[in-house]
Structures are given as C-alpha cells and as structure tokens.
Amino acid sequence: MKSLAVLAVYLIGSSRQAAVSSRQANNANLPPLKFNADGKFQITIFSDMHFGMYSWLPRGQKEDKKTTKVMNDILDYERPDLVVMNGDLINGDGTFAHNSTHYIDQIVKPMVDRKLTWASTYGNHDHQLNLPAKGVFEREHLWPGSRTRRMVPGLAAGVSNYYLPVYPATCDPEKDGDKCAPELLLWFFDSRGGYYHSSVEKTRTPQPNWVDASVVEWFRKTNAELKCRYRKIIPSLAFSHIPINATDAVQKHWDPRRHPGINDEVGVAMQGQGWCPEGKHDWPRCKYGGQDVPFMQALSKTKGMMGLFYGHDHGNTWCYKWNGDIAGMPVPGNGMNLCFGQHTGYGGYGDWIRGARELVISQDKLKDRVFESHMRLESGEVVGSITLNATYNHDIYPATPNQKTYL
C-alpha cells in the first residue's frame, strides 16, 4: 500500500509538472518598466533563498515553506515595482537532476500571485552539477512576469547578463522611440561560481566565480552605445551575486553607525576567491586571483553608476561608498555604493533574521545620484534606513540590531 501511495504522489507531481511545462509565458512583450506617477520606483531584493536545501528531508520542505512566507510577507508590506532575485535561488548542490529547476515554480509564486514582475541574477548554488543555470532561466520563463534575459552568448559568460531600462511615467518608448529616454538603467551580471553542469560526467569541475571578460566587454560597449543613442549619461544600478574584491578592502573601515547593518563575516567571500592568478582553482593555497579587476575597472569608470548590490555572505548587510584610493585595492572608486542584501532564505547557512533590501529611487533625485534604501525584515520591522548620497560614509545612523530567527 505504501508503494502505491508513493506512486500516486509521483504521478500527481508528474502531471502537474507536465501542465506547467506545456505552456510558455510571453515575457517578450512585458510592458516597459516605468517610474510611478509620483516619480518613484521601488525594488525589492531577495538574496540567498536556497530553495531545495535538504530536499530529501522533511526539514527541507519546512525551510522552503518558511522562505515562501518571508517573501509573501515582505511583498505585502512593500508592493515594489520590481523584484530582484539576486542569486542562489536554488541550493542546487542539494537537489536532484530530474527536478532541480522545478523549485522555480515555488520561488516565483509570490510574484505571480500578485502580478508583480521580477529579474534574476544567478549565484554559485544555481550553477551546479545537477542544476544548469540555463535550465533555471528556461523554467523562469514558463511563468508570466520574468524579465531575466541572456544578452551575452557563450558558455564562459554564464547566463544572467543583461540590462533593463526604466522610463519616465509620461512617455512610451514604443510610440516615442528615442525621444523617450530611460531615466535609469539596471544592469545584471552572472558572477557564476559553483560547478559546471553535466548530465554525463559526475566529476565536479569548478566554474570560475567572477564576471567573465566577455561580459565586461559587452557592458563597456553597450553602455557606450546607450550613452551615444540617448546623448546623456543615464544613472545606473548593478546586481551581481558574489561581491567584488573592493568590498573586502572597504570592510576594515566599516562602522556600525555610519554603515548600519550586520558585519558578522569578516573576510568577504569575493569574486576570484580560491583561484590562482594564472586561472587554476586551488583553494586554500590561492586565496584570491584578481580576476575581477577588469569588472571593477569597468564599474569604477562608468559615469552614473550609483551602486552594486550582492548577497553571498549571509552575515553581512551593510553599504559602503567606494570612493578614491583604498589601501590594498588596485582600482580607485568612483563614489558608487557597495551594498550587501539581507539573507532571505531559511535554506543556506546562518540564522540571521531573514528579510530583503529595499531600494527607493526618486526621479527628481537622480540628477544628484541620490537614492534611499532600507531593510524590511520578516518580522515586519524596518532597519538600516539610509540615504545613499554624497555624504554617506560620514552621516550617522542608528546601528542595526543583530537579530536571529530559527527554523
């Protein structure tokens, strides 16, 4: 009888998956992102959800249920214009080849139910032997609302490299053409990492954990083309799952009142970690290979780049303005803000309180490269409210309490 019950559950699950797989959402025709009539545009950033961790145990199902509740509650509190899922959506090293990408159905449900739109970057746990990031991308697009794109071809580039323009409320780019210029650009980068996917070879082959040179070149070229096309510098924000080395350099200057947030992981897990300068993966002999320097140079030389947002370190939740020369850092900063998110998932390591980083961009403040941010916690509390302006790093804010939540 038990075997029959298991078979019945399997058949029901298979029929549901077949129903999902039989349709393809038409996400190519989503309406353009725009500022609201009041000149605001809000982004909710979910980081490190890690769905599917302990997928073979009841604990895993409980973790995923609680993570879904975190997402639902935050979206009810905030009602953003765009949701960014900033890497490690799925804990692919704990799932199985036949169903790894199916966790996307659970992950996107809070947005689909609310008719919200979202965009993703993929993290090291989304690139695994049993989990191809390409499959995650394809699964996302079974559902209406995904703006995740793949603009850079080639295996080395990864998958989630693209940009999204955000337009004024009063213009229509389809009707007005280039007269309707974006007010804001959102750039998304695949920092890769994890392991190469293989359906045959069961030996884990490490994948580079930095933004590839082909993507850096695409970014430089595309940004220059957009500047020429619209005849102006367009303010920009960027998203990548793994932090850059500059984050490790500035961490020693972290101050709880000037950079409110949790700072429990000293020694940032950064792009290029565990790789030798010549490109060989050899951890722990090689601590950092410098492969993210071209990406940092491209960011620091991009006029209008206001911030880079990432996750990966679950116990860090602060922002720092990367400005000028910093000891031990070969690339000078241009004043862009480097910001961790808030660990969203009950999967993954650590019991820091779950939540999301919120970005509130006001159209009238973009000329001064100023925007607001705060953390919305699963408790409903707001912490770490900051204004990312010219005097950030010097302004004083309330310190963020270091709270924990448990399964």
Side-chain angles (χ1 to χ4, degrees):
M1 292 298 293
K2 183 177 179 180
S3 61
L4 289 175
V6 170
L7 177 61
V9 169
Y10 174 79
L11 291 174
I12 291 170
S14 298
S15 64
R16 286 177 178 171
Q17 297 303 339
V20 170
S21 299
S22 67
R23 69 171 186 270
Q24 178 75 38
N26 187 9
N27 288 323
N29 292 324
L30 292 174
L33 294 173
K34 291 186 177 184
F35 281 84
N36 296 329
D38 61 358
K40 304 285 188 184
F41 188 83
Q42 182 166 344
I43 301 172
T44 291
I45 306 174
F46 292 132
S47 298
D48 297 279
M49 293 173 285
H50 288 271
F51 275 81
M53 187 171 182
Y54 302 118
S55 60
W56 62 95
L57 296 174
R59 173 180 173 175
Q61 298 172 23
K62 188 176 180 181
E63 286 179 346
D64 292 349
K65 186 176 180 180
K66 293 202 75 169
T67 301
T68 299
K69 185 177 187 306
V70 173
M71 296 172 68
N72 279 321
D73 289 347
I74 287 173
L75 294 177
D76 285 341
Y77 287 127
E78 296 288 350
R79 301 298 295 181
D81 300 292
L82 177 70
V83 174
V84 170
M85 298 194 292
N86 205 11
D88 285 0
L89 285 64
I90 302 171
N91 203 89
D93 38 356
T95 58
F96 302 98
H98 71 279
N99 71 347
S100 285
T101 63
H102 296 175
Y103 284 95
I104 286 295
D105 304 348
Q106 292 176 252
I107 295 169
V108 303
K109 190 175 187 300
M111 284 79 78
V112 173
D113 286 350
R114 292 164 177 79
K115 294 182 171 55
L116 295 173
T117 188
W118 71 89
S120 301
T121 69
Y122 300 142
N124 51 300
H125 286 276
D126 300 310
H127 291 276
Q128 292 292 323
L129 188 68
N130 286 332
L131 178 63
K134 181 176 180 289
V136 177
F137 175 83
E138 292 170 351
R139 193 78 186 185
E140 273 195 57
H141 283 282
L142 294 179
W143 297 96
S146 175
R147 294 181 187 267
T148 308
R149 298 290 181 263
R150 188 178 189 180
M151 292 185 175
V152 186
L155 177 64
V159 176
S160 54
N161 300 292
Y162 59 105
Y163 74 92
L164 297 173
V166 184
Y167 296 95
T170 54
C171 74
D172 186 336
E174 293 185 0
K175 293 180 181 178
D176 302 332
D178 287 356
K179 292 180 181 179
C180 180
E183 289 289 300
L184 178 70
L185 295 175
L186 306 175
W187 296 90
F188 300 84
F189 298 99
D190 192 335
S191 52
R192 305 177 297 162
Y195 298 89
Y196 285 106
H197 169 254
S198 174
S199 57
V200 179
E201 178 59 56
K202 294 304 178 185
T203 301
R204 290 188 173 189
T205 303
Q207 181 173 217
N209 60 355
W210 58 86
V211 175
D212 186 65
S214 64
V215 178
V216 175
E217 180 58 29
W218 163 83
F219 167 58
R220 289 181 188 273
K221 182 179 178 181
T222 305
N223 189 61
E225 289 173 350
L226 290 168
K227 179 183 174 182
C228 181
R229 175 179 175 181
Y230 294 108
R231 299 181 182 180
K232 68 174 187 176
I233 295 169
I234 304 173
S236 302
L237 298 172
F239 304 87
S240 176
H241 178 67
I242 302 178
I244 55 176
N245 176 250
T247 315
D248 187 66
V250 303
Q251 188 180 38
K252 62 178 65 72
H253 304 293
W254 174 81
D255 183 295
R257 299 290 305 280
R258 291 179 172 83
H259 316 101
I262 302 166
N263 187 43
D264 276 1
E265 295 190 76
V266 177
V268 170
M270 55 197 163
Q271 295 183 31
Q273 185 180 53
W275 292 78
C276 305
E278 67 272 17
K280 178 184 178 182
H281 184 264
D282 193 358
W283 176 262
R285 185 178 71 85
C286 292
K287 303 297 183 184
Y288 168 66
Q291 289 87 354
D292 63 340
V293 168
F295 182 48
M296 290 190 291
Q297 289 173 331
L299 290 172
S300 67
K301 292 178 181 178
T302 299
K303 293 182 179 180
M305 181 59 71
M306 302 187 298
L308 174 65
F309 298 87
Y310 33 72
H312 198 51
D313 284 1
H314 301 180
N316 291 331
T317 65
W318 43 267
C319 290
Y320 192 99
K321 184 174 288 294
W322 177 29
N323 213 354
D325 293 317
I326 297 172
M329 186 59 225
V331 180
N334 67 345
M336 66 182 290
N337 300 285
L338 305 177
C339 294
F340 284 101
Q342 184 88 24
H343 178 204
T344 302
Y346 272 81
Y349 69 90
D351 293 308
W352 297 280
I353 190 168
R354 280 71 178 181
R357 180 174 287 283
E358 302 291 331
L359 307 180
V360 182
I361 301 101
S362 298
Q363 197 172 338
D364 61 352
K365 295 181 180 180
L366 284 176
K367 64 182 183 301
D368 298 318
R369 308 296 188 254
V370 174
F371 61 104
E372 317 288 330
S373 184
H374 63 269
M375 298 298 199
R376 174 69 75 170
L377 303 180
E378 60 182 315
S379 62
E381 183 182 4
V382 171
V383 300
S385 295
I386 53 177
T387 299
L388 291 159
N389 57 12
T391 57
Y392 188 75
N393 279 7
H394 303 285
D395 300 335
I396 300 297
Y397 295 95
T400 297
N402 193 341
Q403 304 174 67
K404 301 291 178 70
T405 50
Y406 301 95
L407 189 63

